[in-house]
Amino acid sequence: MHIYWWRDPQGRILGFVLNDARLLSDLINRLPDGGEGDSQLGRAEIRLLDSHDETLYSWGAYRGEGPALRSIGLSHPLGSWKLEYHAPELQQVSSGGWLGSLVSLLLLATGLGSLGYLLDREHRRELRLAQQRVNFVNQVSHELKTPLTNVRLYAEMLQERLDDEGTEPTVRRYLGVIAGESQRLSRLIDNVLSFSRLQRQQLRLTPEPGNPDEQVERILQTFAPLLLQRGIDLSFDAGIDRSLRYDPAALEQILNNLLSNCEKYAPDSGLLRIRSWLDGAMLCIEVQDRGPGIDAGERERIFEPFYRSSNRITDGVAGTGIGLGLARDLARAHGGDLSLEPGGSGACFRIRLETTR
Ligand code: ADP
């Protein structure tokens, strides 16, 4: 396996795995062909060996088993490979022939060295491009955030201003769609921005005093119409009801991700139960749906970035695959965790956040 890696200025290790078959075929295409009648080599052979001393390619007619008469290591980044010169006996090679072989050996080593340099340069270029792409997505998300917040705010203000009797139901419905969709987009953008901050290790938590039950209640109110449309009823057992120091933005983002997953993956599942309680200094919230649940083999994988399971329910549902991983990272940064609880029908996620004095 060829893994190229390096440490960036922030101390992160970045790397990629080269496709071995492709590397070898590109390499062999650049080398002289290994025909039996290679006149320069006479009855000798040059072998290209990998780090396990396995022959990757050879030139020349000689097929002896003995040790190599000469061996040259390749330069970075193929430093673990070498070239070996095999011949029946050194004396049998005429001095002209031997010199010719040495020259071709050196030429080969230089050729492979430049190939290594080209690979290295390509790898740096790819990483630069990847970095630019990440920056671009980050920038666009930032630019989208302000106008979207305005759309959402004005739609919500308009909803509040419309009096129930005098307003046409369709107007209410249209406004509901505008508010709902802009909330969904805001959540997506928040996820992208937090994900990028986490990657750059720039995510900062800011604990402040607040009543988590009241906050959960507010979040549930925002989600209730959307969930109701999808055949899901909410019930909330509030068991904290006091002020604690925690980061409300982190809790909101974790809950947003869990609730929007219920909306996406557990439609028409009836009751969605949310409970909150205190376990020592740990603020605990459980979100239990009655949807299809998560297969045993995927219980940990769903927390991996970009992982999306594929089945009858999830196929065709839009998503980025970063929601659960991000929610878990946020909970861990908050001295707690996000876990998928075993047993029961449907999926049951438990959030634990450490509260401070
Ligand atoms: P996304 O929803 O963007 O795919 P997530 O990280 O939020 O990404 O979720 C990862 C995967 O976990 C989803 O693709 C889905 O298959 C599965 N999943 C998450 N929540 C639930 C749930 N409540 N019920 C069933 N499957 C779920």
Side-chain angles (χ1 to χ4, degrees), residues 8 10-14 131 134-135 138 191-203 304-306 322 325-326 329:
D8 73 2
Q10 284 102 45
R12 291 173 303 179
I13 292 177
L14 304 161
Q131 190 63 45
V134 171
N135 289 345
N138 206 16
N191 270 354
V192 173
L193 289 175
S194 301
F195 185 74
S196 141
R197 278 188 208 114
L198 262 172
Q199 299 292 303
R200 291 178 285 137
Q201 290 163 356
Q202 282 180 356
L203 193 92
E304 287 171 14
F306 308 114
I322 60 173
L326 179 66
D329 286 344

Coordinates of all heavy atoms in Angstrom, one line a residue, residues 8 10-14 131 134-135 138 191-203 304-306 322 325-326 329:
D8 N 0.0 19.2 8.2 CA -0.1 20.6 7.8 C 0.2 21.5 9.0 O 0.5 21.0 10.1 CB -1.6 20.8 7.2 CG -2.6 20.8 8.3 OD1 -2.2 20.6 9.5 OD2 -3.8 20.9 8.0
Q10 N -1.4 23.2 10.9 CA -2.3 23.1 12.2 C -2.0 21.7 12.9 O -2.7 21.4 13.9 CB -3.8 23.1 11.8 CG -4.3 24.5 11.5 CD -4.4 24.7 10.0 OE1 -4.9 23.8 9.3 NE2 -3.9 25.8 9.5
G11 N -1.1 21.0 12.4 CA -0.7 19.7 13.0 C -1.6 18.5 12.6 O -1.4 17.4 13.2
R12 N -2.5 18.7 11.6 CA -3.3 17.6 11.2 C -2.5 16.7 10.2 O -1.7 17.3 9.5 CB -4.6 18.1 10.5 CG -5.5 18.7 11.5 CD -6.7 19.3 10.7 NE -6.2 20.3 9.7 CZ -7.0 20.9 8.9 NH1 -8.3 20.7 8.9 NH2 -6.5 21.8 8.0
I13 N -2.8 15.4 10.2 CA -2.1 14.6 9.3 C -3.1 14.3 8.1 O -4.2 13.8 8.4 CB -1.7 13.3 10.0 CG1 -0.6 13.6 11.0 CG2 -1.2 12.3 8.9 CD1 -0.1 12.4 11.7
L14 N -2.6 14.7 6.9 CA -3.5 14.5 5.8 C -2.8 13.5 4.8 O -1.6 13.5 4.7 CB -3.7 15.8 5.0 CG -4.3 16.9 5.8 CD1 -4.0 18.2 5.2 CD2 -5.7 16.7 6.0
Q131 N -8.4 21.7 -0.5 CA -8.5 22.8 0.5 C -9.3 24.0 -0.1 O -10.1 24.5 0.6 CB -7.0 23.3 0.8 CG -6.9 24.2 2.0 CD -7.4 23.5 3.3 OE1 -7.1 22.4 3.5 NE2 -8.2 24.2 4.0
V134 N -13.0 23.2 0.0 CA -13.5 23.3 1.4 C -13.8 24.8 1.7 O -14.8 25.2 2.2 CB -12.6 22.6 2.4 CG1 -13.0 22.9 3.8 CG2 -12.6 21.1 2.2
N135 N -12.7 25.6 1.4 CA -12.9 27.1 1.7 C -14.1 27.7 1.0 O -14.8 28.5 1.5 CB -11.6 27.8 1.3 CG -10.5 27.5 2.2 OD1 -10.7 26.9 3.3 ND2 -9.3 27.8 1.8
N138 N -17.3 26.7 2.5 CA -17.4 27.5 3.7 C -17.9 28.9 3.5 O -18.8 29.4 4.1 CB -16.0 27.5 4.4 CG -16.1 27.6 5.9 OD1 -17.2 27.4 6.4 ND2 -15.0 28.0 6.5
N191 N -24.9 23.1 9.9 CA -24.2 21.8 9.9 C -22.9 21.9 9.1 O -21.8 21.6 9.6 CB -25.0 20.7 9.3 CG -25.8 19.9 10.4 OD1 -25.7 20.2 11.6 ND2 -26.6 19.0 10.0
V192 N -23.0 22.5 7.9 CA -21.8 22.7 7.1 C -20.7 23.5 7.8 O -19.5 23.2 7.8 CB -22.1 23.2 5.7 CG1 -20.9 23.5 4.9 CG2 -23.0 22.3 4.9
L193 N -21.2 24.7 8.3 CA -20.3 25.6 9.0 C -19.6 24.9 10.2 O -18.4 25.0 10.4 CB -21.0 26.9 9.4 CG -21.3 27.8 8.2 CD1 -22.1 29.0 8.7 CD2 -20.1 28.3 7.5
S194 N -20.4 24.2 11.1 CA -19.9 23.6 12.3 C -18.9 22.5 11.9 O -17.9 22.3 12.5 CB -20.9 23.0 13.1 OG -21.8 24.0 13.5
F195 N -19.3 21.8 10.8 CA -18.4 20.7 10.4 C -17.1 21.2 10.0 O -16.0 20.7 10.4 CB -19.1 19.9 9.2 CG -18.3 18.7 8.8 CD1 -18.3 17.6 9.5 CD2 -17.6 18.8 7.6 CE1 -17.6 16.5 9.1 CE2 -16.9 17.6 7.1 CZ -16.9 16.5 7.9
S196 N -17.1 22.3 9.2 CA -15.8 22.9 8.8 C -15.1 23.5 9.9 O -13.8 23.3 10.0 CB -16.2 24.0 7.7 OG -15.4 25.1 7.8
R197 N -15.7 24.1 10.9 CA -15.0 24.6 12.1 C -14.4 23.4 12.9 O -13.3 23.5 13.3 CB -16.0 25.3 13.0 CG -16.2 26.7 12.6 CD -17.0 27.5 13.6 NE -17.7 28.5 12.9 CZ -19.0 28.6 12.8 NH1 -19.8 27.7 13.4 NH2 -19.6 29.6 12.1
L198 N -15.1 22.3 13.0 CA -14.6 21.2 13.7 C -13.3 20.6 13.0 O -12.3 20.3 13.6 CB -15.6 20.0 13.7 CG -16.5 19.9 15.0 CD1 -17.5 18.9 14.8 CD2 -15.6 19.5 16.2
Q199 N -13.4 20.6 11.6 CA -12.2 20.1 10.9 C -11.0 21.0 11.1 O -9.9 20.6 11.1 CB -12.6 20.1 9.4 CG -13.7 19.2 9.0 CD -13.3 17.7 9.1 OE1 -12.3 17.3 8.6 NE2 -14.1 17.0 10.0
R200 N -11.3 22.3 11.3 CA -10.2 23.2 11.5 C -9.9 23.4 12.9 O -9.1 24.3 13.3 CB -10.5 24.6 10.8 CG -10.5 24.5 9.3 CD -10.9 25.9 8.7 NE -12.3 26.1 8.9 CZ -12.8 27.3 9.2 NH1 -12.1 28.3 9.5 NH2 -14.1 27.4 9.3
Q201 N -10.5 22.6 13.8 CA -10.4 22.7 15.2 C -10.7 24.1 15.8 O -10.0 24.6 16.6 CB -9.0 22.2 15.6 CG -8.9 20.7 15.4 CD -7.4 20.2 15.4 OE1 -6.5 21.0 15.5 NE2 -7.3 19.0 15.3
Q202 N -11.7 24.7 15.2 CA -12.0 26.1 15.6 C -13.4 26.2 16.2 O -13.9 27.3 16.3 CB -12.0 27.0 14.4 CG -10.6 27.4 14.0 CD -10.5 28.3 12.8 OE1 -11.5 28.6 12.2 NE2 -9.3 28.7 12.4
L203 N -13.9 25.0 16.6 CA -15.2 25.1 17.2 C -15.1 25.4 18.7 O -14.4 24.8 19.4 CB -15.9 23.7 17.1 CG -17.4 23.7 17.4 CD1 -18.2 24.0 16.1 CD2 -17.8 22.4 18.0
E304 N -20.1 7.9 11.5 CA -18.9 8.3 10.7 C -19.3 9.4 9.7 O -20.4 9.4 9.1 CB -18.5 7.1 9.8 CG -17.8 6.0 10.7 CD -17.5 4.8 9.8 OE1 -17.6 4.8 8.6 OE2 -17.3 3.7 10.5
P305 N -18.4 10.4 9.5 CA -18.7 11.5 8.6 C -19.0 10.9 7.2 O -18.3 10.0 6.7 CB -17.5 12.3 8.5 CG -16.6 11.8 9.6 CD -17.1 10.5 10.1
F306 N -20.1 11.4 6.5 CA -20.5 11.1 5.2 C -21.1 9.7 5.0 O -21.5 9.3 3.9 CB -19.4 11.3 4.1 CG -18.8 12.6 4.2 CD1 -17.4 12.8 4.6 CD2 -19.5 13.8 4.0 CE1 -16.9 14.1 4.7 CE2 -19.0 15.0 4.1 CZ -17.6 15.2 4.5
I322 N -23.5 14.0 7.4 CA -22.6 14.6 8.5 C -23.4 14.8 9.8 O -22.7 15.1 10.8 CB -21.9 15.9 8.0 CG1 -22.9 17.0 7.7 CG2 -20.9 15.6 6.9 CD1 -22.2 18.3 7.4
G325 N -22.6 12.4 13.0 CA -21.2 12.5 13.4 C -20.9 13.9 14.1 O -20.3 14.0 15.1
L326 N -21.5 14.9 13.5 CA -21.3 16.2 14.0 C -22.0 16.4 15.4 O -21.4 16.9 16.3 CB -21.9 17.2 13.0 CG -21.9 18.7 13.4 CD1 -20.5 19.2 13.3 CD2 -22.7 19.5 12.4
D329 N -19.8 14.7 17.8 CA -18.6 15.5 18.1 C -18.9 16.7 19.0 O -18.1 17.0 19.9 CB -17.9 16.1 16.8 CG -17.2 15.0 16.0 OD1 -17.0 13.9 16.6 OD2 -17.0 15.2 14.8

